[in-house]
């Protein structure tokens, strides 16, 4: 059995080869799956994809025509997949429903602290042997309020760290998490959370109901000195609206590991190209904004779990089994 894996990072490749050894041959590609690259998959029954793959109807049709019967996505989110088209084409689709929540929660905290304590600006200065402290003043987070939108496994992990800082916890979710309640979290309406929180962090999936969850209205409801962190999905924030608020001098800062138009940019070297995305270009110029390239999940522990789950999905497909990871079951 040979599997074609798209969008494989250099650090990820040996972990994939190690996990799949003895089960299947994996041909790893750095290129991401798109309409241009989909024809490469011809003759491969199983294709594995990364989070930023284009799995719209057009790409799925190319895959199906080339003989692909299973798509194993190496991520939890699946907003990039046209599931209805996959079912129509008889394609089995599986994802990774769980991996280390600590990887993402810890990185979200890394962004929050880096923004709060001006770490990027400080590091840039000291590299130039400028050791002044002007403009580097942060705030104690102890005793302040963390607002957590989405209190599932990752939100809970973030809340536990916030609790360790001695922060007051506010939560918003469609279902309350008893473990967060035990930490002292109070669940409140979204607008109340935004109005009270010194630190707002997003840990909800991207779906039609959460698209631009943080829109212009929500941003205006936030405190002028708040910190906004997003390590979930870029589409949760209306980036153009965020830029307008930042231009007006609002917010201590923002830490963004994701961006709503990141496909075709993130995970790629664009350093020698002109970036046509004016919103992103403006966003990264703010001294109080830190943008990273969708790396919150990227720890050895989490990637190993993702790879192991992907292998299990492939083996389940071959054996005709169905697990909680299956989004579109194997056609009978």
């Amino acid at each position: 059995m040979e599997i074609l894996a798209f969008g494989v990072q250099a650090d990820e490749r040996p972990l994939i080869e190690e996990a799949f050894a003895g089960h299947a041959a994996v041909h790893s590609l750095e290129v991401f799956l798109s309409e241009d690259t989909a024809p490469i998959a011809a003759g491969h029954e199983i294709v594995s994809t990364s989070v930023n793959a284009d799995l719209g109807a057009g790409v799925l049709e190319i895959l199906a025509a080339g003989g692909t019967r299973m798509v194993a996505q190496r991520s939890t989110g699946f907003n990039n997949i046209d599931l209805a088209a996959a079912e129509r084409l008889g394609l089995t689709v599986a994802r990774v429903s769980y991996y280390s929540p600590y990887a993402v929660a810890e990185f979200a905290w890394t962004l929050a602290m880096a923004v709060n304590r001006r770490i990027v600006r400080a590091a840039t200065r000291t590299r130039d042997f400028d050791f002044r402290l002007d403009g580097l003043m942060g705030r104690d987070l102890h005793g302040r309020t963390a607002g957590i939108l989405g209190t599932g496994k990752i939100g809970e992990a973030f809340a536990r760290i916030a609790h360790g800082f001695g922060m007051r916890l506010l939560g918003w979710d469609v279902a309350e998490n008893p473990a967060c309640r035990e930490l002292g979290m109070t669940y409140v309406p979204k607008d109340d959370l935004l109005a009270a929180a010194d630190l707002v962090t997003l840990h909800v999936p991207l779906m039609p109901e959460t698209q631009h969850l943080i829109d212009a209205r929500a941003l205006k409801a936030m405190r002028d000195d708040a910190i906004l962190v997003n390590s979930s999905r870029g589409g949760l924030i209306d980036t153009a609206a965020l830029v307008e608020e930042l231009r007006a001098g609002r917010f201590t800062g923002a830490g963004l590991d994701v961006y709503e138009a990141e496909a075709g940019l993130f995970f790629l070297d664009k350093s020698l190209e002109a970036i046509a995305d004016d919103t992103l270009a403006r966003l990264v110029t703010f001294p109080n904004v830190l943008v990273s390239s969708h790396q919150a999940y990227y720890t050895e522990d989490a990637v190993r779990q993702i790879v192991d789950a992907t292998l299990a999905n492939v083996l389940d497909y071959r054996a005709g089994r169905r697990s909680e990871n299956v989004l579109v079951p194997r056609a009978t």
Side-chain angles (χ1 to χ4, degrees), residues 85-103:
E87 184 174 10
R88 172 174 55 82
L89 294 165
L91 291 170
T92 300
V93 180
R95 60 157 179 167
V96 176
S97 60
Y98 174 86
Y99 60 85
S100 170
Y102 309 107

Side-chain angles (χ1 to χ4, degrees), residues 250-322:
R250 298 191 64 230
F251 307 141
T252 293
L256 308 173
D257 185 50
V258 288
Y259 173 61
E260 59 182 322
E262 68 183 52
L265 291 173
F266 282 21
F267 306 132
L268 300 172
D269 181 1
K270 297 289 186 178
S271 59
L272 299 179
E273 300 179 25
I275 299 300
D277 189 328
D278 292 339
T279 301
L280 178 60
R282 184 70 182 91
L283 187 65
V284 299
T285 65
F286 290 104
N288 58 340
V289 173
L290 175 55
V291 177
S292 53
S293 52
H294 206 141
Q295 69 183 82
Y297 78 98
Y298 206 53
T299 67
E300 180 180 345
D301 310 79
V303 173
R304 282 189 182 278
Q305 291 173 342
I306 290 168
V307 170
D308 288 345
T310 302
L311 172 60
N313 289 341
V314 169
L315 296 179
D316 284 345
Y317 163 79
R318 297 289 288 184
R321 296 187 296 263
R322 181 175 178 177

Side-chain angles (χ1 to χ4, degrees), residues 119-133 136:
I119 298 300
V120 175
R121 182 185 295 181
T124 301
R125 281 188 185 178
T126 55
R127 183 170 294 179
D128 293 332
F129 297 98
D130 178 353
F131 300 104
R132 293 172 300 157
L133 297 182
L136 301 183

Side-chain angles (χ1 to χ4, degrees), residues 38 42 60 95 107 119 128 137 139 151 157 171 186 219 269 294:
L60 293 176
R95 60 157 179 167
F107 193 81
I119 298 300
D128 293 332
M137 184 176 288
R139 294 180 296 170
T151 57
T186 301
L219 290 165
D269 181 1
H294 206 141

